Amino acid sequence: MSTPLLFQPVRFRSVTARNRIVVSPMCQYSANDGLGNDWHVQHLGARAAGGAGIVFTEATHVSAVGRITPHCLGLYNAEHQALLGRLAGVITQGGSVPGIQIAHAGRKASSQVPWQGGKPIPLSEGGWVPLAPSALPSVPGATDPRALSGGEIGDIIGQFAATAAMAREAGFKILEIHGAHGYLGHSFLSPVSNRRNDAYGGDADGRSRFLLEVVEAVRGEWPSELPLWVRLSCSDWVAGGLTIEDTVALARRLAATGQVDLIDCSSGGVSHEQTIPSHPGYQVPFAEAIRHRAGIATGAVGLITEPTHAAEIVANGRADVVLLARAILADPGWAWRAARALGVPADVPSQYLRAGL
């Protein structure tokens, strides 16, 4: 039997991954002042040793005010960079390509960690004022965000570029800009959260300006031989919000820049009124539509748990890679199990051969 496409190498620019299984960015909410620790090292190291082709850090924030919670990972000073360099090294040692997702939480900043309820933290309890395109809170009762001035938008674009430079120096080989889930990039894109009437608001051209300028600034620091991905929410799942048609049009613009190599296709997050028809693979049609209609590689994500399902997605050209979160959180060796299920020799470290995998 020929090797299933899922387990064939995939190349983006100068970077080749051993297979098309990607560990999706998954926030661990375990950092202090943006600085990670041994939890992050063992967490990502285990998933690299577990056979995935590409392993991403969690959302890594470009500023303190841009963190989702007080315990989110950051990359905006030298101390952060040293830890991130260790993370890139341990992922590489495990045989995976190290990827980093860089982010700004925007109006969803200053929140509790999920296991404490995930609610906005009041200013009186140590919270901070979030930043956003418009002064619209993410949920009722949250602190009103401060609408960014044009100069402040430029400053944040510069923060993305500075973080990209530090990521390059730390040894990461793929960089992803987070433009989804209601965070800052997405909140500029969506008419639900962007009510500006200047150059960064209004029609789709204005609302996409921030993201396009971030891409350009990041590319100024990210080497031309290394791939750049963008995560998008392909649908807001709410009336008046973004639809797949809007996202296909945006993906075409990103592809036309020649700067972006893959669209990581997620959805939702901008409105607490969203209604998502969640089921295994519910977001795969987004990846398929963008791949075929925008002419750019895509990643499929969203309740993909079974090896045969993952293999079908790439075999049928619905996406170029699959990104796993919950399944690989529960089973760091998911790629080994998938290989065995699909009749492929598992890429098991010598130290683990006695496990009989």
Side-chain angles (χ1 to χ4, degrees), residues 10 39 60 92 139 146 163 174 185 210 212 291 293 300 345:
V10 61
W39 176 266
T60 305
T92 301
V139 294
R146 183 164 57 80
T163 295
I174 301 177
F210 173 77
L212 290 168
R291 186 175 192 269
R293 294 171 58 192

Side-chain angles (χ1 to χ4, degrees), residues 2-356:
S2 61
T3 301
L5 190 59
L6 183 67
F7 280 96
Q8 293 180 26
V10 61
R11 183 179 178 89
F12 298 98
R13 299 195 184 225
S14 67
V15 175
T16 300
R18 58 187 167 184
N19 58 50
R20 297 157 192 258
I21 299 166
V22 182
V23 175
S24 190
M26 293 180 282
C27 288
Q28 297 295 292
Y29 308 106
S30 299
N32 289 300
D33 295 323
L35 181 63
N37 50 56
D38 286 348
W39 176 266
H40 300 86
V41 175
Q42 64 83 26
H43 166 67
L44 295 179
R47 279 141 192 91
I54 300 167
V55 174
F56 271 94
T57 67
E58 64 196 82
T60 305
H61 297 86
V62 302
S63 70
V65 73
R67 292 172 298 158
I68 306 165
T69 78
H71 297 288
C72 283
L73 203 61
L75 181 53
Y76 44 88
N77 64 40
E79 191 175 13
H80 298 158
Q81 187 179 28
L83 185 279
L84 268 294
R86 188 179 174 202
L87 291 178
V90 76
I91 293 169
T92 301
Q93 185 178 29
S96 300
V97 175
I100 182 169
Q101 183 190 72
I102 63 174
H104 189 297
R107 68 181 189 150
K108 296 178 80 172
S110 187
S111 297
Q112 300 169 333
V113 299
W115 49 86
Q116 293 176 346
K119 295 181 179 179
I121 303 173
L123 300 180
S124 60
E125 297 177 16
W128 60 94
V129 177
L131 305 176
S134 302
L136 301 170
S138 59
V139 294
T143 299
D144 286 347
R146 183 164 57 80
L148 290 159
S149 69
E152 289 171 324
I153 291 171
D155 290 342
I156 291 174
I157 291 169
Q159 291 167 359
F160 272 91
T163 295
M166 286 189 280
R168 179 194 72 228
E169 294 165 358
F172 288 93
K173 300 302 180 186
I174 301 177
L175 186 142
E176 177 172 276
I177 297 167
H178 201 336
H181 300 165
Y183 301 128
L184 188 62
H186 183 195
S187 64
F188 269 97
L189 290 169
S190 176
V192 171
S193 48
N194 185 345
R195 306 289 175 81
R196 300 176 74 96
N197 56 13
D198 64 0
Y200 292 93
D203 62 12
D205 285 347
R207 287 184 280 107
S208 63
R209 186 181 303 276
F210 173 77
L211 180 62
L212 290 168
E213 290 184 357
V214 168
V215 167
E216 184 175 7
V218 164
R219 257 301 169 203
E221 296 290 349
W222 193 244
S224 60
E225 68 270 17
L226 296 181
L228 176 63
W229 295 8
V230 175
R231 172 166 276 193
L232 295 176
S233 278
C234 299
S235 171
D236 284 341
W237 299 112
V238 65
L242 294 173
T243 67
I244 184 58
E245 296 300 323
D246 299 315
T247 309
V248 167
L250 175 59
R252 286 176 179 149
R253 294 191 67 182
L254 291 169
T257 68
Q259 297 172 323
V260 176
D261 300 283
L262 180 141
I263 305 298
D264 178 356
C265 300
S266 191
S267 68
V270 80
S271 173
H272 67 282
E273 296 179 347
Q274 66 187 14
T275 301
I276 299 178
S278 181
H279 55 81
Y282 70 101
Q283 295 176 142
V284 174
F286 298 143
E288 186 173 14
I290 290 171
R291 186 175 192 269
H292 292 289
R293 294 171 58 192
I296 190 169
T298 61
V301 64
L303 300 183
I304 300 167
T305 61
E306 294 303 318
T308 52
H309 188 195
E312 177 274 323
I313 290 167
V314 294
N316 288 326
R318 305 177 74 192
D320 296 86
V321 299
V322 293
L323 294 98
L324 303 181
R326 290 174 177 85
I328 216 159
L329 191 64
D331 181 6
W334 187 94
W336 300 338
R337 180 167 65 84
R340 182 169 55 186
L342 298 172
V344 177
D347 189 9
V348 179
S350 299
Q351 297 91 330
Y352 293 166
L353 289 174
R354 74 185 71 180

